[in-house]
Amino acid sequence: MAIVNVVKLGGSILREAVSYQQVASIIALQPTWRLIVVSAQYGVTRQLWEQGRAQHLSAQEMDALLAQGELDSAQKLAEACRIQGLSVRLLDAREVMATDSQYGQAQPDFS
């Protein structure tokens, strides 16, 4: 069985646009990093949360709004990696992972 290195990049290291290029440069030096999970850019989740609360969104709508921060961040990082000459494939977690549909508190569904 092949071992896959999974790396989680938190929003605290993605503070501004240039951060994505810096992280992509690091990724280019790490050939064993095969799967990279990325958070929303620093401060984005809080901004989206406050926006959602002000609009009185349902838990399902709030989950969709908050997910947009991670999706945007993943797209930015993928593009930064491509600029570095890396071959990348952007995976949308919603297409490869199922949850129990408990909006606001969803848990992975491993069945």
Side-chain angles (χ1 to χ4, degrees):
M1 174 172 27
I3 295 175
V4 176
N5 289 324
V6 178
V7 177
K8 167 66 166 62
L9 301 173
S12 63
I13 65 167
L14 301 169
R15 292 188 173 268
E16 52 196 13
V18 71
S19 301
Y20 290 90
Q21 287 298 326
Q22 293 167 339
V23 169
S25 295
I26 294 168
I27 292 169
L29 299 173
Q30 302 296 328
T32 62
W33 291 8
R34 305 294 297 168
L35 179 62
I36 300 170
V37 178
V38 63
S39 293
Q41 189 171 342
Y42 182 80
V44 168
T45 300
R46 179 178 300 278
Q47 291 171 348
L48 292 172
W49 177 262
E50 290 171 359
Q51 178 185 352
R53 285 190 59 194
Q55 294 176 12
H56 304 287
L57 298 181
S58 69
Q60 183 176 4
E61 293 167 327
M62 183 67 90
D63 280 358
L65 178 63
L66 294 175
Q68 195 58 51
E70 277 81 16
L71 295 169
D72 291 346
S73 190
Q75 290 172 349
K76 289 177 186 178
L77 183 58
E79 182 58 28
C81 287
R82 289 184 185 107
I83 290 170
Q84 290 286 331
L86 300 173
S87 175
V88 299
R89 179 174 172 211
L90 182 61
L91 293 176
D92 184 331
R94 299 170 300 180
E95 296 174 12
V96 296
M97 177 181 252
T99 66
D100 63 9
S101 298
Q102 295 296 313
Y103 298 108
Q105 299 179 36
Q107 297 293 316
D109 182 355
F110 295 112
S111 58

